[in-house]
Amino acid sequence: MALIVQKFGGTSVATTQRIKNVALRVAKWKAEGHQLVVVLSAMSGETNRLIGLAREIQADPDPRELDVMVSTGEQVTIGLLAMALRELGLKARSYTGAQVRILTDSAYTKARILSIDDQAMRADLDNDTIVIVAGFQGVDAGGNITTLGRGGSDTTGVALAAALKADECQIYTDVDGVYTTDPRIVPEARRLDTVTFEEMLEMASLGSKVLQIRSVEFAGKYKVKLRVLSSLEELGQEGPGTLITFEDDKNMEQPIISGIAFNRDEAKLTVLGVPDRPGIAYQILGAIADANIDVDMIIQNVGHDGTTDFSFTVNRSEYSKALAILEQVKAHIGARSITGDNKICKVSAVGVGMRSHPGIASRMFRALAEEGINIQMISTSEIKISVVVDEKYLELAVRTLHQAFELDQTPA
Ligand code: ADP
Ligand code: ASP
Ligand code: MG
């Protein structure tokens, strides 16, 4: 008997029929003698719909109230799944985040989990009951409902697996594992049997939405055995999915590049003609940080005539806010002007094999050059190379790099 946490995403619970299918899948694992905790997302499209309603009332919705209403999507699916399991003659109980007591900080819309009370869930499991928990939500110390950021149900799943010391956390979604890149963009993309935790972390942080980055962080910190699987395959026909491994990389034969990630949610801002003197980066980025805006890539040009240009990227949703802040900072620091571009994207090649193979960057730049794709910004780490390019080249760039690194071919 194992204790397994299963998380089902929005597409997997998109209709009552799909919820009945989830119930059958859960029932199958139960019949094999396992203890089960099931985490659900809202029906696909529902969270977007709820955010849309909020925006019809307030252009910039109050974060506390937004969390109150946007968290309701998950409350619907957990109740429905509990009913579907009861229809199958099984014992099941649903819990909201607050009912479990998934305690978070008070950062509405992007709260972090602080602790999880496992008492009620343990009592249910000991009593042969399937526990169903609403993903994406928690409660702060003051009793306010919080949400964990888009895609946050993955994090609920992994955090519950960590708190319960589950044997495995299974993330069921609409693809049958982690691929070399998003199979929606590159049909030749290949499912990976395993991916190292480090690579998964990079891929998630660089935009591969198959797992929310915080869920991968949790898995790493608490050594949760994490697997990505499809909920749409027929019962009994399931493939092995993708296992996130913690093995020492050196013991494994690694491809140089494991995957291509991309992120459309990017925007670039440039401060032109900044006096080239100490403290300028701090004055610009300090003001951005004070507004709680995360900065990603940063580039400062070589100065000439005593001035320099300073560029950085932010999440596209924070573009106008960042632009407004820079307009204020401009006069203070004596910059000439501010420009911005919110039609850019970031494309990255990820692979732990890069450490031992020089020349990956030039291969990447050559492939993009051959397609006439202009690179606007570059950033590298030990296991990734990212470039910022015009959004219109996103699909071409991803396909080109997937091919350049022969990711469609099974490594020998
Ligand atoms: P869920 O609603 O189940 O959480 P998501 O839409 O959040 O599902 O994540 C699954 C989607 O992630 C897939 O449909 C796929 O388009 C996308 N995706 C992006 N990158 C990858 C990748 N490298 N491997 C697999 N899927 C990916
Ligand atoms: N329903 C939430 C979202 O759409 C959380 C999730 O699906 O993981 O972001
Ligand atoms: Mg998701």
Side-chain angles (χ1 to χ4, degrees):
M1 182 186 76
L3 169 49
I4 299 171
V5 175
Q6 301 184 319
K7 178 260 168 176
F8 292 88
T11 341
S12 313
V13 294
T15 59
T16 47
Q17 185 53 51
R18 292 248 171 106
I19 291 177
K20 288 180 189 174
N21 293 345
V22 168
L24 289 172
R25 193 171 297 279
V26 173
K28 179 182 159 251
W29 285 83
K30 182 79 184 110
E32 289 169 10
H34 303 298
Q35 291 187 314
L36 295 164
V37 175
V38 182
V39 174
L40 296 185
S41 292
M43 291 179 169
S44 67
E46 178 62 4
T47 308
N48 285 343
R49 189 185 72 87
L50 292 167
I51 293 173
L53 289 180
R55 292 214 174 115
E56 283 176 24
I57 305 264
Q58 267 192 313
D60 190 12
D62 178 85
R64 180 186 182 277
E65 306 312 327
L66 184 64
D67 278 359
V68 165
M69 53 94 64
V70 103
S71 59
T72 58
E74 275 71 12
Q75 202 167 323
V76 171
T77 50
I78 56 167
L80 290 172
L81 180 65
M83 293 174 205
L85 286 165
R86 280 164 194 260
E87 279 297 296
L88 297 175
L90 293 163
K91 290 199 271 185
R93 252 168 93 88
S94 69
Y95 292 87
T96 64
Q99 284 174 319
V100 172
R101 206 139 199 275
I102 299 180
L103 183 71
T104 71
D105 61 20
S106 303
Y108 298 118
T109 75
K110 48 182 173 192
R112 281 180 184 271
I113 297 177
L114 301 175
S115 66
I116 293 178
D117 184 348
D118 67 354
Q119 272 186 24
M121 291 188 289
R122 290 251 181 236
D124 276 347
L125 292 172
D126 291 344
N127 181 28
D128 213 28
T129 301
I130 298 165
V131 175
I132 305 166
V133 179
F136 177 56
Q137 55 176 264
V139 65
D140 76 358
N144 302 293
I145 294 172
T146 56
T147 65
L148 310 178
R150 298 308 305 269
S153 298
D154 295 334
T155 301
T156 306
V158 180
L160 286 175
L164 291 161
K165 300 192 175 51
D167 296 285
E168 183 163 320
C169 180
Q170 303 174 339
I171 305 284
Y172 285 92
T173 181
D174 55 3
V175 278
D176 62 347
V178 177
Y179 277 66
T180 46
T181 194
D182 189 338
R184 283 179 214 260
I185 302 280
V186 183
E188 298 79 31
R190 210 166 31 80
R191 184 183 57 80
L192 299 163
D193 284 328
T194 61
V195 60
T196 69
F197 158 73
E198 246 186 315
E199 287 169 326
M200 196 62 241
L201 198 60
E202 278 292 357
M203 280 169 73
S205 85
L206 294 170
S208 297
K209 292 196 171 112
V210 61
L211 285 176
Q212 197 204 32
I213 177 152
R214 283 190 190 164
S215 72
V216 188
E217 286 168 358
F218 252 101
K221 192 163 168 197
Y222 297 100
K223 290 280 181 290
V224 174
K225 186 174 175 195
L226 184 60
R227 195 185 288 280
V228 177
L229 299 148
S230 166
S231 73
L232 305 178
E233 288 174 327
E234 270 186 47
L235 275 185
Q237 310 276 308
E238 305 90 345
T242 300
L243 183 68
I244 320 298
T245 57
F246 295 96
E247 274 97 318
D248 187 349
D249 309 329
K250 291 181 203 77
N251 295 334
M252 295 175 72
E253 197 49 53
Q254 280 294 339
I256 301 173
I257 300 296
S258 294
I260 308 295
F262 57 86
N263 191 353
R264 297 174 200 272
D265 305 330
E266 301 258 334
K268 183 172 82 170
L269 297 116
T270 303
V271 190
L272 294 155
V274 188
D276 197 5
R277 59 162 193 260
I280 282 296
Y282 170 66
Q283 276 182 294
I284 297 174
L285 296 181
I288 297 289
D290 287 346
N292 226 344
I293 299 175
D294 284 332
V295 168
D296 182 15
M297 286 194 199
I298 303 169
I299 285 186
Q300 187 177 346
N301 290 346
V302 177
H304 45 84
D305 309 336
T307 70
T308 178
D309 299 337
F310 190 95
S311 300
F312 59 94
T313 60
V314 298
N315 190 290
R316 204 176 281 183
S317 64
E318 310 205 279
Y319 175 65
S320 354
K321 201 164 139 194
L323 210 53
I325 292 169
L326 290 187
E327 285 297 342
Q328 285 174 7
V329 175
K330 188 176 98 178
H332 260 315
I333 58 176
R336 192 170 65 243
S337 59
I338 312 288
T339 62
D341 185 354
N342 63 354
K343 297 249 173 333
I344 56 151
C345 65
K346 182 169 70 174
V347 180
S348 313
V350 177
V352 291
M354 244 184 242
R355 286 195 181 115
S356 46
H357 289 81
I360 301 302
S362 68
R363 207 162 136 191
M364 179 162 171
F365 302 154
R366 188 180 63 210
L368 294 171
E370 281 169 3
E371 291 298 332
I373 300 172
N374 185 39
I375 301 171
Q376 302 182 16
M377 292 170 109
I378 300 168
S379 92
T380 63
S381 81
E382 261 198 313
I383 66 163
K384 72 114 202 275
I385 303 166
S386 300
V387 295
V388 165
V389 300
D390 191 312
E391 186 188 52
K392 70 177 183 233
Y393 292 128
L394 182 128
E395 300 191 1
L396 179 62
V398 173
R399 270 189 266 120
T400 300
L401 296 178
H402 197 266
Q403 209 167 25
F405 291 110
E406 297 172 352
L407 292 178
D408 52 336
Q409 287 162 39
T410 320

